[in-house]
Amino acid sequence: MGTPAFAVPVLTEIAARGHEIAAVYTRAPKPAGRRGLETLPSPVALAATKLGLPVFTPTSLRTAEAAALFASHAAEVAVVVAYGLILPKAILDAPAQGCLNLHASLLPRWRGAAPIQRAIMAGDRETGVAVMRMDETLDTGPVALVERIPISQEMTAGELHDRLSDLGAGLMGRALELLARKALVFTPQAASGVTYAEKITKAEALIDWSRDAADLHNLVRGLSPFPGAVFLTDLGKGPERIKVLRAHVVAGVGAPGLVLDDELTIGCGRGALRLLEVQRAGRGPMPAREFLHGARLPRGTQLPA
């Protein structure tokens, strides 16, 4: 049970290990194309189809019909990775060995929807993946296996996403092997250290230059490549949102939002942030120097703070 690209390595790992996959559940196809007339299957749906597996895309699992269909698969265990739908008790109780969830954090830190982004935005130096048994509340079930990795000071959410996805595939593979031997041991989560990774809002993505440069560096990394930290400026055709994909903290003194030099260094509440890679709407990512060739942001320009 999974939907985004993050879940695909787990599916392929399970298949490669020879487990019988009774069914694949994923979110329904999304509208695609300029007019939304076409539909785009989820990454998990595409991977499952290549593997010749049956794919189910219910819009809800809360109906008696959905519960009956799910139970009819007679699965020993359900593997859940960023599925996107709430699993009610009837679904959680159907597999004989319960539902195993792969979560991209060191539980109980960063329960919730955006653990990868939140870990980087908070400046965490370490994160990981955890295999837990699901219960009826959000990411609170007992944990069986954990794999830790450091977060480097320049790592982006996209880079960490890919690392954790691959790491999680192997971890879930190990969990299923242990489960088959009745050797998978679960430990309740600690009562202390609980944090929640709420969904990223558009307001959060807007850069506030009055914040410390170090905090904005973490914001840029945590939202790169998607949805992207953005700033507003007028490049001659009205206000435009510029996405910042990479940046670096540098020594510099200037008013928040002030362009300090010809290398796109921006003054912050404390310190300065040099923008290294940006993206204009409708265009691809580009180095800041290339952006400056066509943008009017000379030294002394004041960006909205």
Side-chain angles (χ1 to χ4, degrees), residues 198-209:
E198 306 291 348
K199 289 183 178 179
I200 307 298
T201 67
K202 288 185 178 181
E204 285 182 285
L206 184 62
I207 294 174
D208 177 358
W209 298 111

Side-chain angles (χ1 to χ4, degrees), residues 7-94:
V8 171
V10 176
L11 174 60
T12 55
E13 178 73 13
I14 292 172
R17 287 178 179 247
H19 296 291
E20 180 187 354
I21 302 173
V24 174
Y25 276 66
T26 188
R27 295 296 298 271
K30 290 185 176 181
R34 290 186 176 181
R35 298 183 179 180
L37 299 178
E38 303 175 3
T39 56
L40 182 66
S42 75
V44 165
L46 294 172
T49 300
K50 289 182 179 180
L51 292 169
L53 299 170
V55 176
F56 298 84
T57 58
T59 56
S60 171
L61 294 173
R62 295 187 178 278
T63 66
E65 293 78 10
L69 176 61
F70 189 82
S72 72
H73 303 308
E76 292 179 274
V77 62
V79 173
V80 185
V81 188
Y83 176 37
L85 287 183
I86 298 296
L87 272 58
K89 191 174 188 303
I91 300 297
L92 293 171
D93 292 345

Side-chain angles (χ1 to χ4, degrees), residues 80-281:
V80 185
V81 188
Y83 176 37
L85 287 183
I86 298 296
L87 272 58
K89 191 174 188 303
I91 300 297
L92 293 171
D93 292 345
Q97 301 288 345
C99 300
L100 297 184
N101 176 239
L102 180 74
H103 187 74
S105 82
L106 299 175
L107 293 168
R109 186 163 177 79
W110 301 128
R111 295 172 179 170
I116 295 174
Q117 294 93 332
R118 293 294 179 188
I120 294 179
M121 290 166 66
D124 290 4
R125 296 298 180 88
E126 183 184 51
T127 189
V129 283
V131 173
M132 55 167 282
R133 177 180 284 144
M134 298 179 70
D135 56 23
E136 290 185 81
T137 49
L138 180 66
D139 299 331
T140 58
V143 175
L145 298 178
V146 172
E147 193 82 38
R148 299 171 178 267
I149 63 169
I151 303 176
S152 70
Q153 292 187 352
E154 301 300 326
M155 181 178 282
T156 66
E159 292 164 347
L160 183 57
H161 168 283
D162 294 348
R163 289 280 306 279
L164 292 177
S165 180
D166 291 339
L167 197 66
L171 193 68
M172 184 60 76
R174 283 170 48 201
L176 292 179
E177 298 297 337
L178 290 169
L179 186 68
R181 302 200 307 265
K182 302 186 184 303
L184 191 63
V185 178
F186 293 88
T187 302
Q189 292 185 35
S192 60
V194 176
T195 58
Y196 288 92
E198 306 291 348
K199 289 183 178 179
I200 307 298
T201 67
K202 288 185 178 181
E204 285 182 285
L206 184 62
I207 294 174
D208 177 358
W209 298 111
S210 67
R211 294 175 59 187
D212 286 2
D215 291 340
L216 293 180
H217 179 234
N218 291 337
L219 177 72
V220 167
R221 295 189 303 125
L223 299 184
S224 178
F226 183 83
V230 300
F231 68 91
L232 302 177
T233 188
D234 190 337
L235 299 178
K237 296 183 179 180
E240 185 175 340
R241 294 168 68 90
I242 308 297
K243 184 185 294 189
V244 182
L245 300 175
R246 290 188 186 274
H248 190 67
V249 177
V250 297
V253 178
L258 184 67
V259 178
L260 302 180
D261 56 23
D262 297 327
E263 296 185 88
L264 207 54
T265 301
I266 314 298
C268 302
R270 179 183 297 176
L273 196 68
R274 178 165 294 158
L275 311 190
L276 303 177
E277 185 178 14
V278 299
Q279 184 175 7
R280 299 179 68 173

